[in-house]
């Protein structure tokens, strides 16, 4: 069998199609096409935000309602594929070769991948989602009776289903594919490289350009959406805590502040920026988690870890099915929506995880990206979601009436624990620092794609994309309000449908590459 460098030999050189403009190293034509499409979308949305929202909402609804089976089936395939890789012999393959050493410590590595993948979402939904499902805010999972013990169990299980193995499996497929083909096969760190085993040198032509442009759009739209919605939550927290009006001006000011810090961080690079902030953020998140466990209903939370795990196991199979469901509306509005959202985020999160995972074995990678975050999420959701549910059941505080403003749910839960002002302020800080780390990692990803797969794009290029994320979110929020932001989110989700096909193809090409790599290593 020919060695890997011959089987995957290509005359293409990383960055060979690049041009140098404005101090940037730009892939031609990916950079220009992506920038033009982003500009057209922003201008069109600003000119007619309601019309844009209507168009993209219709597109999103069409994707979700007609391809619910496809999203759910694909999600199941990704989980099974990743778990199987842990036990197969190819799990011993090391990213970068058998002698490769990791660039980052285990703790820093995990902090970075967790902050990029889930951090901000857990702050946003860890209270709102279980409480919403329990009180029938917008449907209940599997038709569970709301405001009952069975409803509470289903609520915790469904929340974990949306934030557990399935989303992380999606990220793991993309991250492992890109890391393997970049570090082991010497291909550029872009989405197109995963298709080289199938289309060979066509990866570097129009086919690869289309894939990379879609990846840039999905990343920038997803990040800008999260930045906009996160600014709303942070502004709501400031009003809740300090009485500062949470209107558009405050939200835009938060986006400007977050973007400014993100620019400084992205200039400092991975070690001085993203890694440092991720470590700080995970430390603050850990302290807040311990505080909630210690000052809340401690024994209820501790016993709840097992209850949540069992509830998750109970709902996993029925919620993975798309036929015979009594909760069709819930399935479409929540589960299928989430799957499309995770898939639209996968180019960004997966590529960032690949960027920081040099030197890890496939088995270690899957365990760290799939199983460990799921376990951490069980603990987090049990503590925050469990306390939220308990306050609803006991008619304590604002949550006694269910979900009003979902951006305030976490602050309303913390209000009924000791030192509420301090913990709420820490929560606001966490939200904003998670924004910064997401913006940082997203900028590094877009830098790499628009630089033709180069790992270190010039500083002006990093600054450009970090600023663009903030500008898109701020301009749409200020000029178009909630309608423009919803249009942006719908656009990102619409990208999820074609990208599901990309991920399924990645499973095939990744296995072929891993199998060849292991055989070659054994026969050396």
């Amino acid at each position: 069998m020919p060695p890997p460098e011959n089987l995957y030999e290509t005359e293409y050189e990383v960055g060979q199609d690049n041009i140098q403009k404005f101090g940037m190293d730009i892939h031609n034509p990916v950079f220009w096409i992506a920038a033009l499409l982003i500009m057209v979308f922003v201008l069109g949305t600003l000119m007619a935000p309601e019309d844009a929202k209507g168009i993209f909402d219709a597109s999103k609804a069409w994707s979700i309602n007609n391809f619910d089976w496809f999203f759910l089936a694909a999600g199941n395939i990704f989980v099974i594929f990743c778990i199987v890789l842990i036990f197969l012999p190819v799990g011993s393959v090391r990213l970068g070769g058998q002698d490769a050493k990791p660039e980052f410590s285990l703790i820093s590595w995990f902090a970075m991948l967790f902050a990029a993948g889930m951090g901000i979402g857990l702050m946003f939904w860890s209270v709102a989602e279980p409480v919403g499902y329990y009180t029938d805010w917008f449907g209940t999972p599997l038709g569970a009776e709301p405001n009952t013990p069975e409803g509470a169990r289903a609520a915790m299980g469904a929340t974990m289903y949306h934030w557990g193995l399935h989303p992380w499996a999606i990220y793991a497929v993309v991250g492992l594919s890109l890391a393997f083909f970049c570090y082991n096969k010497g291909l550029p760190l872009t989405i197109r490289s995963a298709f080289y085993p199938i289309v060979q040198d066509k990866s570097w032509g129009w086919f690869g350009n289309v894939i990379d442009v879609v990846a840039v759009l999905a990343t920038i739209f997803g990040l800008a959406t999260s930045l906009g919605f996160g600014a709303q939550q942070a502004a709501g927290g400031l009003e809740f805590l300090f009485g500062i009006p949470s209107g558009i001006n405050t939200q835009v000011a938060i986006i400007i502040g977050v973007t400014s810090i993100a620019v400084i961080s992205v200039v400092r690079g991975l070690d001085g920026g993203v890694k440092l902030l991720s470590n700080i953020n995970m430390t603050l998140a850990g302290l807040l988690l311990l505080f909630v466990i210690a000052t809340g209903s401690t024994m209820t939370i501790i016993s709840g870890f097992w209850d949540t795990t069992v509830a998750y196991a109970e709902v996993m199979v029925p919620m993975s099915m798309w036929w015979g469901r009594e909760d069709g509306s819930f399935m479409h509005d929540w589960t299928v929506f989430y799957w499309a959202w995770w898939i639209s985020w996968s180019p960004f999160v997966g590529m960032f995880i690949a960027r920081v995972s040099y030197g890890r074995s496939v088995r270690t990678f899957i365990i760290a990206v799939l199983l460990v975050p799921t376990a951490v999420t069980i603990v987090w959701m049990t503590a925050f979601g469990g306390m939220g549910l308990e306050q609803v059941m006991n008619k304590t505080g604002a949550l006694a009436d269910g979900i009003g403003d979902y951006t305030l749910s976490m602050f309303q839960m913390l209000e009924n624990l000791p030192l509420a002002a301090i913990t709420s302020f820490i929560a606001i800080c966490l939200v904003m620092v998670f924004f910064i780390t997401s913006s940082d990692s997203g900028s590094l990803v877009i830098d790499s794609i628009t630089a033709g797969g180069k790992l270190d794009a010039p500083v002006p290029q990093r600054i450009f994309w970090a600023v663009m994320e903030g500008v898109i979110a701020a301009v749409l929020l200020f000029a178009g309000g909630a309608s423009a932001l919803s249009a942006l989110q719908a656009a990102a989700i619409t990208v999820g449908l074609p990208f599901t096909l990309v991920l399924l193809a990645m499973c095939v090409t990744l296995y072929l590459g891993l199998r060849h790599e292991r055989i070659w290593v054994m026969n050396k």
Side-chain angles (χ1 to χ4, degrees):
M1 176 173 287
E5 58 266 28
N6 290 347
L7 185 64
Y8 290 84
E9 186 175 354
T10 175
E11 295 181 359
Y12 183 84
E13 295 183 7
V14 178
Q16 73 174 37
D17 296 323
N18 290 14
I19 58 175
Q20 285 67 46
K21 289 282 186 181
F22 317 115
M24 298 188 285
D25 195 358
I26 297 169
H27 183 278
N28 188 33
V30 170
F31 180 96
W32 302 113
I33 294 175
L36 177 63
L37 290 175
I38 291 168
M39 187 178 301
V40 169
F41 173 84
V42 171
L43 291 176
T45 302
L46 290 178
M47 292 171 62
E50 291 295 339
D51 291 339
K53 181 178 182 297
I55 292 171
F56 285 107
D57 276 348
S59 176
K60 178 186 74 174
W62 180 82
S63 298
I64 288 176
N65 292 330
N66 289 286
F67 292 92
D68 49 3
W69 61 273
F70 184 56
F71 283 115
L72 290 175
N76 298 335
I77 290 171
F78 300 142
V79 173
I80 294 170
F81 176 73
C82 288
I83 292 175
V84 168
L85 284 184
I86 295 175
F87 298 100
L88 287 178
V90 295
S92 62
V93 171
R94 187 170 295 276
L95 300 175
Q98 294 305 105
D99 298 324
K101 302 296 181 184
E103 293 181 85
F104 306 99
S105 70
L106 199 61
I107 293 176
S108 293
W109 177 49
F110 178 75
M112 285 189 287
L113 68 89
F114 194 84
M118 290 286 174
I120 188 61
L122 294 182
M123 297 297 296
F124 218 94
W125 291 106
S126 58
V127 176
E129 200 165 325
V131 171
Y133 298 164
Y134 175 71
T135 58
D136 194 8
W137 182 35
F138 285 106
T140 62
L142 301 172
E145 188 69 25
N147 301 300
T148 64
E150 294 75 19
R153 190 177 183 85
M156 291 303 298
T159 300
M160 271 309 308
Y161 179 71
H162 291 154
W163 294 86
L165 294 173
H166 284 76
W168 284 105
I170 290 168
Y171 295 157
V173 166
V174 178
L176 187 57
S177 296
L178 298 180
F180 174 74
F181 287 111
C182 176
Y183 300 137
N184 294 71
K185 305 303 184 185
L187 302 180
L189 186 62
T190 65
I191 303 294
R192 68 175 76 200
S193 293
F195 287 84
Y196 187 81
I198 298 176
V199 299
Q200 297 293 303
D201 284 335
K202 290 186 177 65
S203 298
W204 321 127
W206 68 265
F207 176 83
N209 291 339
V210 170
I211 290 175
D212 280 353
V213 167
V214 172
V216 171
L217 296 179
T219 299
I220 197 79
F221 289 163
L223 285 171
T225 301
S226 294
L227 189 57
F229 284 131
Q232 292 177 340
Q233 186 186 29
L238 291 173
E239 182 174 37
F240 183 82
L241 194 58
F242 301 114
I244 299 172
S246 60
I248 293 295
N249 290 337
T250 301
Q251 295 170 28
V252 171
I254 289 171
I255 291 174
I256 292 172
V258 165
T259 302
S260 300
I261 300 173
V263 167
I264 296 172
S265 178
V266 81
V267 168
R268 290 172 57 88
L270 273 175
D271 278 307
V274 179
K275 186 182 83 170
L276 176 63
L277 289 172
S278 296
N279 287 338
I280 293 172
N281 228 22
M282 294 307 293
T283 301
L284 285 175
L287 291 174
L288 183 60
L289 173 64
L290 291 175
F291 177 84
V292 171
I293 294 173
T295 60
S297 300
T298 306
M299 294 311 299
T300 301
I301 293 174
I302 292 175
S303 63
F305 297 150
W306 174 252
D307 294 337
T308 300
T309 304
V310 172
Y312 179 26
E314 289 175 348
V315 305
M316 187 180 297
V317 172
M319 289 193 69
S320 295
M321 302 297 102
W322 55 90
W323 63 86
R325 296 280 292 265
E326 298 178 4
D327 60 338
S329 177
F330 179 92
M331 179 182 73
H332 290 121
D333 294 343
W334 287 100
T335 304
V336 183
F337 170 86
Y338 264 132
W339 271 213
W341 181 247
W342 298 137
I343 290 169
S344 73
W345 260 59
S346 63
F348 148 51
V349 180
M351 186 175 290
F352 179 73
I353 292 174
R355 178 67 181 83
V356 300
S357 297
Y358 180 86
R360 306 291 177 183
S361 71
V362 169
R363 189 168 291 115
T364 300
F365 181 98
I366 295 293
I367 291 173
V369 177
L370 182 68
L371 302 183
V372 175
T374 299
V376 171
T377 304
I378 288 175
V379 176
W380 184 276
M381 289 298 187
T382 300
F384 287 83
M387 281 305 304
L389 288 177
E390 183 174 276
Q391 291 178 14
V392 174
M393 296 174 187
N394 294 335
K395 304 296 182 183
T396 302
L399 291 177
D401 298 323
I403 301 295
D405 183 349
Y406 66 95
T407 64
L408 295 178
S409 297
M410 174 171 283
F411 302 111
Q412 291 169 340
M413 184 275 289
L414 292 173
E415 185 182 27
N416 297 290
L417 298 180
L419 306 175
I422 296 175
T423 55
S424 294
F425 181 72
I426 292 174
I428 294 171
C429 292
L430 274 170
V431 168
M432 290 196 283
V433 180
F434 271 129
F435 289 157
I436 297 168
T437 53
S438 293
S439 178
D440 272 1
S441 47
S443 298
L444 291 171
V445 165
I446 299 176
D447 290 343
S448 180
I449 298 174
T450 56
K454 290 188 174 181
L455 296 181
D456 294 305
V459 170
Q461 199 157 332
R462 302 184 208 171
I463 294 173
F464 174 82
W465 287 113
V467 171
M468 280 296 294
E469 292 161 22
V471 167
I472 292 170
V475 169
L476 289 179
L477 198 58
F478 185 78
S483 294
L485 209 57
S486 295
L488 186 63
Q489 184 185 50
I493 291 170
T494 301
V495 175
L497 179 59
F499 229 84
T500 305
L501 292 169
V502 173
L503 266 66
L504 289 171
M506 280 183 171
C507 292
V508 176
T509 59
L510 173 61
Y511 177 73
L512 292 174
L514 288 173
R515 182 173 176 273
H516 181 274
E517 179 87 357
R518 183 176 182 275
I519 292 174
W520 178 74
V521 169
M522 289 178 62
N523 292 335
K524 280 202 316 183

